[in-house]
Amino acid sequence: MKTRCKFAAMISASLLVIGAGLIVSQKVSAAGEGKITGTIKLDGTPPHQKPIDMSKEPSCQAKHAGHPITTETVVSANGALQYVVVYLSEGLSGAAANAVPSEQPEFNQTGCQYVPHVIALDVGQSFKVVNSDQTSHNIHPQPKPGAGNQEWNKSQPPGTPPFVVKWNSEEVAVPVKCNIHPWMHGYMAVVKGPYAVSGENGSFTIDGVPPGSYTVSAWQELYGTQTQKITVAAGKPTTADFTFKAK
Amino acid sequence: MAKFFAVTIILIAVASAVPIVMHTWEAPADISTHGALIDEQMSETMLEAGISFLAAQIILAIFIWQFSNPGPDARIKTFPGGAKGLVIAALVLVGAEVMALGIFGTKAWAAQYFTPPAADAMAVQVQAGQFAFYFRYPGLDGRFGPIHPDLINEGSQNFYGLDPDHDQDSKDDIVAAEMAIPVNKEIHLLMHSKDVGHSFYVPELRVQQDFVPGLDVSLHFTATKVGKYEIVCTQLCGLGHYNMKAYLEVMSQADFDDWLKKEAAMQ
Amino acid sequence: MHDMSAHAAQHHAPPTSFIRKHVFSLDHKVIGKQYYGLALIAVFAGMVLSWLMRIHLAWGAAPIPGLELLSKNGAPAGVITPEYYLQLMTMHATIMVFFVLTTAPFAAFGNFFLPIQVGAEDMPFPHFNMMSFWVTFTAFLVLMASFFVPDGPTLGGWTQYAPLSAVGKVAGPGQGTGVILWAASIAIFCVGQLLGSLNFITTTLDLRVKGMSLMRLPLSAWGWFITSCMGLTAFAVLMPACILLILDHVAGTSFFVPSNLVLNDQLQPHSGGSTLLWQHLFWFFGHPEVYIAIVPGMGIVSHVLITSMRRPMLSHRVLIYSMGALAVLSYMVYGHHMFVSGMNPVSSLAFSFPTLMITIPSTIIVLIWIGSLYGSKLRITAASLFALGFVSMFVSGGVSGFFLAQPSIDIMLHATYFVVGHFHMVMGVAAMFGIFSGTYFWFPKMTGRMMNETLGKIHFWLSFVGTYCIFMPFHYLGMAGNVRRYSAFVDDYTMRLIPVHKFITVAAIATGCAQFIFLYNLIHSRFKGKPAPDNPWEATSLEWSTPTTPPPHNNFGDKLPVVYHDPYQYGVKSSTGDYVMQASPEQVATPHEEK
């Protein structure tokens, strides 16, 4: 009777170990994962980007050559659209969806602007809020009430150290504003699973996508969300281009 | 101890008066047409308050010096004239003084608040919000477009909630973060608050007026000297109150016209 | 004059249990001491807050070690954030105005000495009296609780102008729960003051002992009586105002919030309220409040000065009428806080004239003090030094009122440090000097022990010179246009003023440290001081005629005193020396009497 119990315990323990190993190996098997690349374009004339007059904050104005422009639609000469968040809105399995990247991106307040203007984050991913200016900032993200994230705001006098925070629920996207400088505006997109934000040339790459069928979403602050259904194969890139229509 | 106290009071009183007599810390020089009356009223008051202050402190000190720790034979004496004399003195001297100040001061106040702006005064609207001022010029049509509070979006810099696509009057409105005005031209400043109480204070212009949320008030003034001055908020409006300011640029008419063109291009 | 039912109510047996004796006591003397203790805790708390503010203003980037433990968000790495500065400022002002300047000179000393000075056994409504203290104490706890809510206390300043105070969290940190706690605390405080004022008025009118006509009341009793009349009307307006403010937060009403306000890009769900309404309600209380803080001090200081000068004031009656005139006028001048508020400019003028008029009774009071000093036999004690210091401070704070009373000059000085200097001098420091004077004077009667006079004088010198060093420069800053309630100075024209701020900060810390001498003296003398005689200052009023020191539970033992004289028979020939006590039947050869 006693030995039997022991045997059963050993069996279940080894099963547990194997199971855990399988889960872990699924996470780290980079070779078997695909990626999604693409370019985001804007079709039509972008809205006028009004220059920002920072004359009331001379230390910030000094960091810019002329008047910096609003960053709500940043379009390059060939129509490529920057600051678009691309993420997998459907199709991710539990493990891949719940993995939290360990790197800590930085959300910087510099020259009285948020750099980057749009930051994408995984649920539970820590990020650092930095004040590089010679003035106080009061960063104030305003998540939708009831969506699971708490609204907060925090002052950072010049010279105070960065602080680290994270978001607990998915939300695309949390608007962020500075309570001291009304023109300062940005977004934090909180998603589950891999994500990317389009760069200056409108291109993006989402790495580490397990093979499978997905709905890819692209979100832009003025033009909203577009989706595409794609299938990602192991080890090779899949293309998903998006084109937003100017209003 | 009492004598030392008396000397201390006199020293403090004199030391307090020194920076005022020496003009160590003074208000910046006046650049307005109405400010001279205020300044005159200020120095008049300073003179009267200063004399009252020094006289009271010094007499207090002298009496403390003289009447503390008297000998055993000293007898209680009464101030010549007694209470009646003092009451009459207070009524006549102080009464006359404050009445004079009050009546004279009415002139300075009336000059700014009871005279309407001239018909050709230039209208500029200022909107105060947490924590910046924004200024609106009506453009060529001379009319300000309507404000739609629900359209206010600071991220895209629509600070006033204008809708130029639908409102004809808003099309040529110019919104700027600094206030430029032509020199020697009367300005009719329309004051609007977007959120909480704020105030518009330019020491050089000798104006200070609160913004009243829900109630638009107006001011008028003429700046007489070209230069760059600060507009600061003096009504506690939240955490960024200390940093709520804008610049006032007083410029020649020609420079102002150029400035307005440049701003119009930036809209 | 004698109302039997009131007499029956004030009569109660001495308690036996510790709790009924020291905690939930009905004895006006214990309640007075409880108020004093509360004010003492509050004043040191308020002082520490002012130090933090001063350090931040002078050395803005300097971390204050340990402060991050008090508020992680308010002072990351010990550096005070803009909102935390405003929160400290609001709490400093609220604590000082309500829990020190209203509590100590009026509620503490008044409770202890008013019944004794009129010759009563206790207040007519002892239960109300007990309640008034515990309600006030609760108000203090509610206010302090706001330090521990997530956003911290409110940052709206002690004036809590709407709509900043009325739209909720969206207006800034502390504007949600912080404001609700603030308004609740003040509304509760008002209840305490109303109960207290009711008791004070009834005591003065109904419980005077045989022979004590109104004109025979000492000036301190007159100070408390006039103050309680103001308290009854002023706090009765503030309380509903605070309740309406709370309703704007929790019930969706819009008493103080107009329509179409946009905060944080969000259109606020309010309409139809008036922001000026709050200012009118607040200042209708707020200006009398200034006199609620100072008139008891005037009474106490007159009382102490007379005893020290060994002569009555030139005119008892004129002083009383002048204090009364201050009280009445204080309701007609409140609009001078609102000259640039956007109310009708005609109202500004209408409020300006009574404000200038109030100079007249103030001047009469000061002239009577100084004129009475002439030909007196002044005894220098810690109490009389502080009383004379009060006169000096009141003059300094008073003359700056000339400026602020005139709307045209107020355009330049409104909301600058000139105002800060003015009200700290006339309402803050002067009232504090009144409290100190009263403490050194009455401590022997309250505790049965003497305070150390030498330490008292050292405390006076440091405080007197120190407060002038702190508050005089504020006036200069204001004249140069330095705006108050700024957590940092970023305007170009304020840069040259920063050395002045540094000077003020050093002076404030030094003067604040000197107050620990007082605290030591107070606590040490309470337990180790020399035993006090019944009448150490050779004074005349009834509190010095009690059979024991401190007075017994019912103040006068078996027999109530009978009053034979006006309160201040000094400088007369008598068997006791140069004075005759009010309760002494001795004939006075040439009595001081009011014609």
Side-chain angles (χ1 to χ4, degrees):
Chain A
M1 194 66 180
K2 226 176 181 187
T3 44
R4 256 191 170 177
C5 281
K6 234 180 191 173
F7 183 69
M10 273 171 73
I11 294 281
S12 39
S14 40
L15 275 176
L16 267 177
V17 169
I18 293 165
L22 275 174
I23 292 169
V24 171
S25 67
Q26 195 185 356
K27 249 186 170 177
V28 293
S29 63
E33 291 179 344
K35 59 180 176 184
I36 305 167
T37 61
T39 311
I40 319 265
K41 293 222 160 165
L42 181 72
D43 176 16
T45 336
H48 171 61
Q49 284 165 287
K50 205 180 163 185
I52 303 172
D53 187 340
M54 297 183 184
S55 54
K56 79 161 237 186
E57 199 64 83
S59 71
C60 284
Q61 183 64 60
K63 287 193 177 180
H64 301 278
H67 287 304
I69 52 170
T70 55
T71 29
E72 54 180 350
T73 33
V74 182
V75 182
S76 66
N78 59 355
L81 192 55
Q82 202 186 349
Y83 298 130
V84 177
V85 181
V86 190
Y87 62 101
L88 306 177
S89 50
E90 274 170 45
L92 266 182
S93 69
N98 292 330
V100 177
S102 58
E103 79 249 37
Q104 227 175 52
E106 205 175 86
F107 196 61
N108 195 357
Q109 301 158 97
T110 178
C112 288
Q113 285 195 296
Y114 290 119
V115 175
H117 173 61
V118 175
I119 190 172
L121 298 158
D122 209 319
V123 173
Q125 182 180 13
S126 305
F127 63 102
K128 219 195 269 182
V129 180
V130 184
N131 178 8
S132 313
D133 281 335
Q134 287 310 305
T135 181
S136 284
H137 287 296
N138 182 287
I139 179 168
H140 184 188
Q142 297 169 281
K144 274 192 200 67
N149 288 318
Q150 286 293 317
E151 183 173 347
W152 52 270
N153 69 321
K154 205 166 151 96
S155 276
Q156 276 179 297
T160 45
F163 60 89
V164 174
V165 271
K166 56 187 179 189
W167 291 108
N168 295 325
S169 296
E170 271 180 283
E171 189 170 343
V172 181
V174 180
V176 182
K177 63 173 297 190
C178 176
N179 272 350
I180 296 181
H181 305 95
W183 62 82
M184 281 177 76
H185 208 256
Y187 288 93
M188 293 175 176
V190 190
V191 301
K192 273 190 170 182
Y195 54 77
V197 179
S198 65
E200 272 177 57
N201 56 1
S203 71
F204 69 91
T205 305
I206 306 179
D207 283 321
V209 185
S213 296
Y214 298 100
T215 305
V216 186
S217 291
W219 172 87
Q220 205 277 346
E221 56 181 287
L222 269 192
Y223 306 119
T225 308
Q226 288 194 3
T227 54
Q228 269 184 42
K229 290 212 185 293
I230 57 162
T231 305
V232 176
K236 61 175 188 185
T238 312
T239 308
D241 292 333
F242 292 90
T243 303
F244 286 92
K245 259 199 108 56
K247 280 178 189 167
Chain B
M1 175 83 80
K3 293 191 168 140
F4 186 45
F5 183 31
V7 173
T8 309
I9 292 181
I10 293 181
L11 282 181
I12 287 177
V14 172
S16 303
V18 166
I20 290 171
V21 177
M22 304 283 290
H23 300 287
T24 317
W25 291 285
E26 272 212 312
D30 168 39
I31 60 153
S32 71
T33 48
H34 69 273
L37 273 178
I38 293 177
D39 286 4
E40 203 179 321
Q41 179 79 1
M42 182 77 141
S43 31
E44 195 78 9
T45 310
M46 184 59 81
L47 190 69
E48 292 182 19
I51 290 172
S52 317
F53 169 74
L54 285 175
Q57 301 285 10
I58 290 171
I59 294 170
L60 174 70
I62 291 173
F63 286 1
I64 290 173
W65 175 294
Q66 208 178 347
F67 299 109
S68 54
N69 304 319
D73 309 329
R75 300 198 39 203
I76 298 288
K77 284 176 288 189
T78 300
F79 189 76
K84 201 186 268 173
L86 291 176
V87 171
I88 292 171
L91 280 175
V92 173
L93 286 177
V94 182
E97 184 179 327
V98 297
M99 279 303 118
L101 284 178
I103 290 163
F104 186 73
T106 309
K107 240 168 63 187
W109 183 253
Q112 201 176 353
Y113 283 94
F114 296 155
T115 43
D120 66 337
M122 188 180 106
V124 181
Q125 189 180 34
V126 54
Q127 176 183 272
Q130 290 177 325
F131 299 97
F133 297 100
Y134 285 97
F135 304 90
R136 184 154 72 131
Y137 297 79
L140 289 176
D141 63 357
R143 283 203 299 272
F144 292 107
I147 292 173
H148 306 280
D150 50 321
L151 292 182
I152 288 179
N153 184 340
E154 296 184 323
S156 61
Q157 300 219 60
N158 190 356
F159 299 107
Y160 271 86
L162 301 183
D163 189 1
D165 295 340
H166 299 99
D167 297 327
Q168 187 59 35
D169 291 345
S170 299
K171 279 201 164 65
D172 62 348
D173 284 6
I174 297 161
V175 175
E178 57 180 349
M179 183 181 183
I181 56 170
V183 70
N184 292 325
K185 167 104 184 151
E186 185 164 19
I187 305 299
H188 187 203
L189 188 70
L190 309 165
M191 301 171 65
H192 171 76
S193 170
K194 177 176 82 70
D195 41 38
V196 299
H198 299 277
S199 196
F200 182 93
Y201 180 42
V202 185
E204 291 87 350
L205 262 185
R206 305 291 188 261
V207 294
Q208 176 167 198
Q209 175 65 53
D210 281 5
F211 292 82
V212 189
L215 181 75
D216 286 4
V217 292
S218 76
L219 261 188
H220 59 101
F221 53 80
T222 309
T224 56
K225 204 160 158 247
V226 170
K228 189 170 181 179
Y229 311 96
E230 270 168 297
I231 302 165
V232 296
C233 176
T234 53
Q235 184 60 265
L236 180 55
C237 55
L239 65 95
H241 173 48
Y242 77 101
N243 199 18
M244 179 160 168
K245 64 171 184 181
Y247 285 97
L248 168 73
E249 298 250 26
V250 181
M251 38 180 89
S252 67
Q253 185 69 45
D255 286 350
F256 174 73
D257 294 339
D258 288 347
W259 178 87
L260 207 57
K261 273 197 204 100
K262 206 184 82 217
E263 287 292 325
M266 274 168 54
Q267 294 305 305
Chain C
M1 183 153 67
H2 287 245
D3 179 280
M4 290 320 287
S5 59
H7 261 288
Q10 58 152 333
H11 194 84
H12 50 90
T16 45
S17 75
F18 179 84
I19 292 210
R20 298 302 304 205
K21 216 167 168 174
H22 298 290
V23 184
F24 296 108
S25 173
L26 296 175
D27 184 346
H28 69 100
K29 297 185 289 298
V30 177
I31 295 168
K33 284 199 264 186
Q34 286 173 328
Y35 266 119
Y36 195 93
L38 174 64
L40 199 65
I41 294 168
V43 78
F44 277 90
M47 190 180 84
V48 170
L49 297 182
S50 73
W51 280 354
L52 296 176
M53 288 155 61
R54 284 306 325 166
I55 292 171
H56 180 68
L57 285 179
W59 292 278
I64 301 170
L67 194 61
E68 70 274 16
L69 301 177
L70 198 67
S71 173
K72 213 166 107 260
N73 276 340
V79 180
I80 292 177
T81 58
E83 66 268 31
Y84 196 52
Y85 173 85
L86 294 174
Q87 292 171 329
L88 294 174
M89 177 201 82
T90 306
M91 291 299 268
H92 164 78
T94 309
I95 290 173
M96 288 301 199
V97 170
F98 292 98
F99 295 97
V100 180
L101 297 179
T102 310
T103 304
F106 175 62
F109 287 129
N111 246 305
F112 199 106
F113 288 106
L114 180 66
I116 309 186
Q117 286 190 341
V118 306
E121 290 180 22
D122 202 319
M123 295 265 187
F125 313 115
H127 284 90
F128 276 179
N129 204 18
M130 175 180 80
M131 232 170 102
S132 89
F133 170 74
W134 285 106
V135 162
T136 309
F137 184 71
T138 310
F140 186 66
L141 292 185
V142 171
L143 186 71
M144 285 299 154
S146 67
F147 270 117
F148 303 98
V149 296
D151 263 3
T154 160
L155 53 68
W158 85 286
T159 51
Q160 286 299 359
Y161 273 15
L164 182 68
S165 61
V167 288
K169 240 175 98 112
V170 71
Q175 293 310 91
T177 325
V179 171
I180 297 174
L181 285 174
W182 181 92
S185 163
I186 300 308
I188 298 170
F189 183 87
C190 292
V191 174
Q193 290 307 303
L194 290 173
L195 292 173
S197 300
L198 198 67
N199 251 325
F200 276 47
I201 292 172
T202 321
T203 305
T204 316
L205 294 180
D206 282 348
L207 295 188
R208 275 171 289 127
V209 85
K210 185 159 182 256
M212 181 65 91
S213 65
L214 277 175
M215 274 302 144
R216 277 182 172 176
L217 284 174
L219 289 165
S220 45
W222 267 105
W224 294 316
F225 176 55
I226 292 171
T227 306
S228 52
C229 295
M230 280 191 278
L232 201 62
T233 39
F235 286 107
V237 173
L238 182 63
M239 186 169 68
C242 285
I243 293 171
L244 298 186
L245 182 60
I246 295 175
L247 289 179
D248 271 5
H249 279 263
V250 301
T253 57
S254 299
F255 292 104
F256 306 120
V257 194
S259 49
N260 286 336
L261 298 191
V262 180
L263 283 98
N264 263 337
D265 287 354
Q266 299 155 19
L267 189 60
Q268 297 303 306
H270 283 283
S271 66
S274 158
T275 62
L276 283 177
L277 174 63
W278 169 264
Q279 296 187 28
H280 281 290
L281 291 174
F282 183 84
W283 287 117
F284 188 85
F285 146 80
H287 201 79
E289 165 63 24
V290 174
Y291 291 87
I292 288 172
I294 199 74
V295 168
M298 288 177 167
I300 293 169
V301 161
S302 305
H303 193 65
V304 173
L305 272 183
I306 289 168
T307 311
S308 312
M309 296 187 304
R310 314 308 296 165
R311 57 159 299 162
M313 287 291 170
L314 283 175
S315 170
H316 192 63
R317 210 174 268 269
V318 168
L319 258 187
I320 293 168
Y321 290 160
S322 301
M323 290 200 288
L326 282 185
V328 173
L329 280 172
S330 75
Y331 288 92
M332 295 153 61
V333 303
Y334 76 86
H336 68 233
H337 296 270
M338 299 168 59
F339 284 155
V340 300
S341 69
M343 73 175 176
N344 191 323
V346 181
S347 330
S348 296
L349 283 187
F351 278 117
S352 165
F353 277 93
T355 309
L356 285 164
M357 297 287 287
I358 215 166
T359 321
I360 294 173
S362 309
T363 310
I364 293 175
I365 291 172
V366 170
L367 287 183
I368 297 242
W369 283 333
I370 297 180
S372 303
L373 215 57
Y374 176 88
S376 68
K377 294 164 90 172
L378 183 62
R379 293 177 182 174
I380 296 292
T381 57
S384 71
L385 281 174
F386 271 107
L388 293 164
F390 175 100
V391 177
S392 173
M393 292 287 166
F394 185 72
V395 168
S396 306
V399 290
S400 49
F402 273 141
F403 296 83
L404 300 171
Q406 302 172 54
S408 50
I409 298 183
D410 192 54
I411 289 175
M412 283 303 287
L413 297 176
H414 189 84
T416 66
Y417 272 94
F418 192 89
V419 179
V420 179
H422 167 69
F423 72 73
H424 272 93
M425 277 267 182
V426 76
M427 164 186 191
V429 181
M432 283 307 297
F433 272 43
I435 298 169
F436 286 136
S437 180
T439 307
Y440 286 108
F441 186 72
W442 278 319
F443 187 85
K445 185 54 69 180
M446 292 171 80
T447 64
R449 292 180 186 273
M450 302 297 288
M451 282 182 90
N452 184 318
E453 271 290 306
T454 313
L455 284 181
K457 284 173 182 162
I458 294 173
H459 172 221
F460 168 75
W461 283 107
L462 295 173
S463 301
F464 185 71
V465 178
T467 41
Y468 266 111
C469 286
I470 300 169
F471 296 111
M472 262 302 162
F474 275 136
H475 295 86
Y476 312 141
L477 291 174
M479 287 190 288
N482 194 343
V483 180
R484 73 191 182 117
R485 291 171 160 180
Y486 276 11
S487 66
F489 302 114
V490 296
D491 301 316
D492 306 341
Y493 67 90
T494 53
M495 291 304 154
R496 69 193 184 105
L497 304 174
I498 287 174
V500 185
H501 279 287
K502 290 188 173 156
F503 174 81
I504 293 172
T505 300
V506 172
I509 292 173
T511 313
C513 286
Q515 305 314 309
F516 287 97
I517 300 174
F518 170 74
L519 188 66
Y520 168 80
N521 195 355
L522 197 72
I523 294 171
H524 185 262
S525 305
R526 169 71 185 80
F527 299 104
K528 296 272 173 64
K530 272 194 313 198
D534 279 340
N535 188 2
W537 315 114
E538 302 183 292
T540 55
S541 46
L542 287 184
E543 74 263 33
W544 308 105
S545 302
T546 57
T548 57
T549 299
H553 175 70
N554 62 358
N555 295 343
F556 295 100
D558 313 330
K559 218 172 99 213
L560 282 176
V562 176
V563 169
Y564 296 94
H565 308 287
D566 275 10
Y568 301 120
Q569 301 298 339
Y570 292 102
V572 295
K573 280 206 169 58
S574 76
S575 58
T576 42
D578 68 341
Y579 68 104
V580 174
M581 299 185 74
Q582 267 192 299
S584 157
E586 182 175 344
Q587 282 289 320
V588 183
T590 44
H592 298 289
E593 257 163 28
E594 284 291 329
K595 282 153 226 115

